[in-house]
Amino acid sequence: MPMISNQINCDSCFISTHSLFRHLSADEFQNISLNKITESFKRGSIIYQEGNRMKGFYCVHSGIIKIFKTGFDGKEQIIRFAKPGDIIGYRSVLSNEPACTTAEVIEDCIICNIPATTLFHLVKTNGDFALELMQLTCKELGEANEYPTDIAQKTVRERLAEIILNLESEFGSDEDSVLRITLTREEMANLVGTATESVIRLLSEFKADRLISLNGRKIKILDKPGLKRIATL
Amino acid sequence: MPMISNQINCDSCFISTHSLFRHLSADEFQNISLNKITESFKRGSIIYQEGNRMKGFYCVHSGIIKIFKTGFDGKEQIIRFAKPGDIIGYRSVLSNEPACTTAEVIEDCIICNIPATTLFHLVKTNGDFALELMQLTCKELGEANEYPTDIAQKTVRERLAEIILNLESEFGSDEDSVLRITLTREEMANLVGTATESVIRLLSEFKADRLISLNGRKIKILDKPGLKRIATL
DNA sequence: CGGTACGTTGAGTCATATCAACCATAGTGG
DNA sequence: CCACTATGGTTGATATGACTCAACGTACCG
């Protein structure tokens, strides 16, 4: 399924100056560059699956990936999305456990696979890197901790409004306020944690209330303050 | 509110051989011992609160602490409990953000406060410690990721059964299968993410079905397989 | 002995899930 | 090229789980 594409050069990769990797020395960079494998995936491909043993983690170069868990009845719960600059799969690598989520490509992507040993070595020898990675983990943990409160205490209506706003702030919108990311109704439902039909009904309600307009999977925000009010943010 | 008690000696503390601290050198231990402050708290005391800037993190020596978030309407959502050997508050310290949860004492506790600078220093200079801490964070993250699926896809009934089982495996039970930890009905509700009345009704249902028996706040498990079946584990 | 916090039970309501039918679209293979 | 099938989207009808509100019981505490 994955296509091994031309290697991407870490030195010229925009991601290297951001985030996690900014504290690496030239040597350390070189080491990653030599050991990583660049792969490209089409929409629908599975990068890794719940239960897989991971031999490395991934750095997203382009595209969008959804990270989800599968419930006992097969229903998916989307945990988060990964976009360029994000890294995925590192949790399982670090804790040396099988993956507890599945990563599926939503928009065609190019990702670099960096072996586990490289990661461990960096953590052990580069304190700044370790700290940076830990802060990333802590940030994710903080976000993950928002979930229960959110799901347990808000109505589906409130959560849907919130998620539309989140999608805009995470993936942006074009000059017409049309969200860049497009999801199926089912994916939206799996993100909100509700039934597909409920999402459909609520989206039409929002549309009737002039909060959004719809064109297939494209969602355009017409009244952001209104959505915020509903989301109670 | 906190009582500064006699210092606990890290060398003789059972926690030092477990977990996080096992990779520390004698010097590093010494350093912690010198800089930490041991405090004792009574049930109901607040150790830290949502929004607080943390000047250090805590290592729980004895007692039980609940970690929760407060919803916009004041309803609490319990995220997890901390018991002897656990460390709390490190997330906010590491990511240098205000605390996003509140920590309240459920059973009288003794905790050691270790300053932020000590933590940062250890992460930067001791790779094994960094790795161990990261694995702890990742473990928590993995658990936190279970939540959404759980809350979104299970009924309150299923979740309550699951939580009773979790409380047993986390805090144990005496020879009569009576759970060691005792919570108010409201706390149970805040853990499950439901209304107090719902918990009460479901507990009496479980009792009527001979799955548990109740004696005030004491819960006795009569039929563990039955509970597992309900929890669909 | 009032007061406060916790626990319990009942009744009514509502949001949301579920089930079912149907439409649109696109891809597939004979 | 057309029937066939799969996938996604939509709408309606119905059922029900869980919340809310309200009243009341119980126990401990100063």
Side-chain angles (χ1 to χ4, degrees), chain B residues 93-149:
Chain B
V93 170
L94 281 173
S95 56
N96 197 28
E97 291 169 354
C100 64
T101 53
T102 301
E104 182 184 325
V105 177
I106 290 208
E107 284 183 16
D108 297 359
C109 71
I110 297 175
I111 59 181
C112 293
N113 184 337
I114 300 161
T117 49
T118 306
L119 179 63
F120 280 110
H121 184 255
L122 281 175
V123 169
K124 285 204 181 187
T125 57
N126 184 332
D128 288 319
F129 176 84
L131 194 55
E132 198 77 32
L133 180 54
M134 212 168 302
Q135 289 181 343
L136 177 67
T137 318
C138 286
K139 191 166 144 286
E140 263 193 64
L141 185 54
E143 283 162 13
N145 282 341
E146 302 288 337
Y147 255 108
T149 324

Side-chain angles (χ1 to χ4, degrees), chain B residues 178-196:
Chain B
V178 177
L179 296 195
R180 288 246 159 67
I181 190 175
T182 56
L183 300 172
T184 65
R185 302 294 136 114
E186 194 182 357
E187 282 168 338
M188 294 224 89
N190 293 341
L191 189 53
V192 176
T194 188
T196 311

